[in-house]
Amino acid sequence: MDKKLTEKPRVLAIILGGGKGTRLYPLTKERSKPAVPFGGKYRIVDIPISNCINSGYRKIYLLTQFNSASLHMHISNSYNFDRFSQGFVEILAAEQTLEHSGWFEGTADAVRKNMAHFRSQNPTHYIILSGDQLYSMDLRKFMDSHIASGSDITIATTAVNRHDASGFGIMKIDSKNRITEFKEKPKPDADISAWKIPEKARGDLPPEKEFLASMGIYIFNAKTMEEMLDNEYTDFGKEIIPMSLKTKKVNSYIFSGYWEDIGTIRSFYDATLDLTKINPQFNFYDADAPIYTHMRNLPPPKVNGAPHIENSLLTEGCIITNARAINNSVIGVRTLVEANSELNGVITMGADYYESEAQKAENASEGRPNVGIGKNCVISQTIIDKDARIGDNCRINVDGNKYDDGDHGTFYISDGIVVIRKGAVIPSGTMI
C-alpha cells in the first residue's frame, strides 16, 4: 500500500477570526466575530473548534486582531486539554516582530505572519477554517479525501443555485473533482452555464443547485502552504487559490450537509431561530458530534409559571416568572423574564451575572430597570445583547418598525431586526 495512505497525518487547524465584523455590528462593537454569543449558551467560535475536536484534531490556533479580550476569556475558560493529549486551543493576535510590524492584511497574510509558530508543530497538513460559519463536518473525511486524491490543496465546496452563486467564489471542476477554474462572485447576468457541476460528481445534490461555491475551508499540504505564501498576496480566496490552480493540483471536496455563513445580522438571526424548530437544520443534540463551550456550572432553567412556551430554547440559569407567552425564541444564560411579558422571535444573549437584592434595591432607588426583561413587555423580531436592562411595559418591534436601518443610540436596526445593545438601558414604557 502507498506509504502516503498509511501514514497518520499531523494536522494543524487554523481558525480565521475575521476582520472588524462590520456586517455583524453592533454585536461586534465590543467583541470579535468568533466571540459573538450563539444558540443561548455558546459562542460562534465553538462550532469550528468542536468540529476539530470531534474529528480528533486537537492542535488548534485561532487568529484574530480585533476586540479579542472577550474571545481570550472564553477560550481560556472553555478549552483546557489534559497534559497527555498534547492538544491546545491558542489565540494568536496580530503582533509586531522584527520581520513585520503591521496588522493582518487578509486571510493569507494572517497565516503567513504566524508561520513561525506553526512550523514548531511540524505539521504535514494544515486545515484552514472560518470562525463565523455554522456547520457540522467530519474533518477526517475531508482529510481522507484530500490524501486519497493526491492533491496539494483541497477546497471544501457547497452546492448553490444560480442566484446565490453571485455571492460566492465559484469553482469549475472536472469529472474527477479537480478544480480547473475559479471565478470570484460572478455577476447575476454572467453566463456561467459551463461551470455547472459535472453529472458524475453530483451524487444526491438537489437538482436546482448546479454550481459549487467555496466554503472558505481549505486543506494544504505543509510544503504547499510554504510555497503558496512565499509572496506578498494577502487573501486566500481572491489571490492564493486562483494562483495555485496554475501550478498545483487543487481538488474540490463537495460537502452536502447544512452550512450557513452567519456573518450578517439577518443570517445570524435566521440561523439562531432555526434552532427552535422541531427539526432544525443544525443539530445541537447529536451525541456523536457535541458542541463544546464554557462550563458555567449554572442551575437549570426555571419556569415559575408560563402558560404558553412554544418552539423555544431556554438556556441554563434563566428564570421565567409568569410570562404570558414565549414563542420561537432563544433565551440566553441567566436571562430573567418577568410577569405578563410576551416574546415572539426574540434572541436574548443573557447576562454575565445575577444581581443581588441590594443591587436591585439600588436600581429601584435610581429608577433603573434590573438586568433582564421587565413586566408587561411585548417584544418581537429582536436581538437583546448581554446585560441589557428592559423596564416594564415596553413594546419593541411590535407595531411595525418605525426606524430606518442604522444606529439609534441604545438600539440598532438592521434589515427590520431590532438589536438592543450590550448593557443598554431601556426605560419603562419605551416603544421602539
Side-chain angles (χ1 to χ4, degrees):
M1 183 178 288
D2 190 333
K3 184 179 178 181
K4 289 183 179 180
L5 298 180
T6 58
E7 268 187 355
K8 185 176 181 180
R10 298 185 300 277
V11 180
L12 193 65
I14 301 170
I15 299 174
L16 303 174
K20 294 181 179 179
T22 53
R23 295 186 303 158
L24 264 181
Y25 186 88
L27 301 181
T28 51
K29 183 178 185 295
E30 299 178 20
R31 56 171 80 93
S32 61
K33 280 196 294 184
V36 172
F38 178 76
K41 61 179 285 186
Y42 305 94
R43 304 283 184 129
I44 293 176
V45 75
D46 293 326
I47 306 302
I49 290 177
S50 297
N51 281 328
C52 291
I53 294 173
N54 293 332
S55 301
Y57 302 146
R58 299 192 172 199
K59 294 185 176 182
I60 305 164
Y61 283 107
L62 178 58
L63 308 187
T64 187
Q65 66 182 348
F66 293 103
N67 288 334
S68 57
S70 176
L71 185 61
H72 274 272
M73 183 175 295
H74 176 71
I75 295 299
S76 63
N77 287 334
S78 305
Y79 300 101
N80 298 296
F81 296 101
D82 65 74
R83 62 188 296 182
F84 303 105
S85 71
Q86 297 182 326
F88 58 83
V89 180
E90 184 173 331
I91 293 178
L92 294 175
E95 61 181 353
Q96 290 188 341
T97 70
L98 294 177
E99 287 76 31
H100 52 79
S101 59
W103 291 106
F104 298 152
E105 301 297 329
T107 54
D109 186 60
V111 173
R112 179 188 298 112
K113 286 177 177 175
N114 284 287
M115 286 302 294
H117 300 293
F118 304 150
R119 292 188 192 105
S120 65
Q121 300 300 323
N122 192 29
T124 59
H125 298 83
Y126 293 97
I127 288 185
I128 310 294
L129 305 169
S130 173
D132 58 357
Q133 296 175 349
L134 181 61
Y135 64 102
S136 180
M137 181 189 291
D138 186 343
L139 299 176
R140 290 167 297 189
K141 293 182 179 178
F142 185 20
M143 180 61 69
D144 290 345
S145 172
H146 170 78
I147 294 174
S149 70
S151 298
D152 301 301
I153 305 169
T154 299
I155 302 173
T157 56
T158 184
V160 297
N161 59 36
R162 178 62 186 90
H163 177 268
D164 292 339
S166 295
F168 294 95
I170 300 300
M171 309 289 171
K172 185 177 182 180
I173 65 171
D174 62 19
S175 59
K176 295 183 179 180
N177 280 24
R178 181 165 182 172
I179 298 172
T180 58
E181 294 183 66
F182 173 87
K183 187 182 292 290
E184 176 71 13
K185 297 181 179 179
K187 294 181 179 180
D189 57 352
D191 181 9
I192 58 172
S193 56
W195 292 57
K196 291 182 179 179
I197 305 169
E199 199 61 38
K200 188 176 179 180
R202 288 197 58 83
D204 58 355
L205 295 174
E208 71 276 8
K209 295 186 176 182
E210 299 180 301
F211 304 94
L212 285 180
S214 170
M215 296 167 62
I217 299 173
Y218 317 108
I219 291 178
F220 281 77
N221 292 345
K223 182 180 178 181
T224 301
M225 176 75 86
E226 297 273 2
E227 293 176 4
M228 290 295 98
L229 294 182
D230 187 18
N231 49 58
E232 299 299 320
Y233 293 124
T234 60
D235 192 82
F236 279 114
K238 296 178 181 178
E239 298 169 310
I240 299 297
I241 296 304
M243 178 182 69
S244 68
L245 296 179
K246 302 174 183 177
T247 59
K248 301 296 180 182
K249 183 178 181 183
V250 185
N251 260 42
S252 164
Y253 174 76
I254 302 176
F255 178 66
S256 59
Y258 170 71
W259 174 81
E260 182 65 44
D261 182 345
I262 46 179
T264 66
I265 292 294
R266 169 55 70 180
S267 62
F268 174 85
Y269 179 82
D270 290 343
T272 303
L273 289 196
D274 186 78
L275 301 173
T276 68
K277 294 180 179 178
I278 294 175
N279 294 304
Q281 296 182 81
F282 184 85
N283 183 13
F284 272 119
Y285 299 89
D286 185 350
D288 295 324
I291 303 301
Y292 303 96
T293 192
H294 179 201
M295 297 291 290
R296 298 176 177 84
N297 298 316
L298 287 171
K302 185 178 183 182
V303 179
N304 298 320
H308 187 89
I309 298 178
E310 183 176 348
N311 292 349
S312 296
L313 300 181
L314 307 184
T315 310
E316 58 201 44
C318 70
I319 302 176
I320 314 297
T321 302
N322 299 322
R324 185 192 311 165
I326 297 177
N327 299 307
N328 304 312
S329 296
V330 176
I331 309 302
V333 294
R334 302 188 189 89
T335 296
L336 306 183
V337 181
E338 299 296 348
N340 206 37
S341 286
E342 180 177 342
L343 310 183
N344 295 286
V346 174
I347 300 167
T348 76
M349 294 185 172
D352 289 319
Y353 58 93
Y354 291 117
E355 290 185 296
S356 66
E357 292 305 315
Q359 288 173 316
K360 291 179 180 179
E362 183 180 349
N363 292 337
S365 67
E366 296 180 359
R368 180 175 58 240
N370 297 329
V371 172
I373 298 171
K375 300 175 182 178
N376 306 311
C377 294
V378 183
I379 306 173
S380 67
Q381 202 169 1
T382 296
I383 299 171
I384 303 173
D385 207 339
K386 276 193 169 186
D387 301 327
R389 301 168 182 269
I390 298 178
D392 300 337
N393 305 302
C394 292
R395 293 178 67 86
I396 300 176
N397 213 9
V398 177
D399 305 313
N401 205 312
K402 299 180 282 291
Y403 299 88
D404 295 331
D405 281 9
D407 195 343
H408 299 275
T410 56
F411 64 95
Y412 191 91
I413 305 292
S414 178
D415 200 15
I417 299 165
V418 174
V419 183
I420 304 296
R421 291 180 178 277
K422 182 178 180 180
V425 178
I426 308 298
S428 294
T430 297
M431 299 183 66
I432 297 176

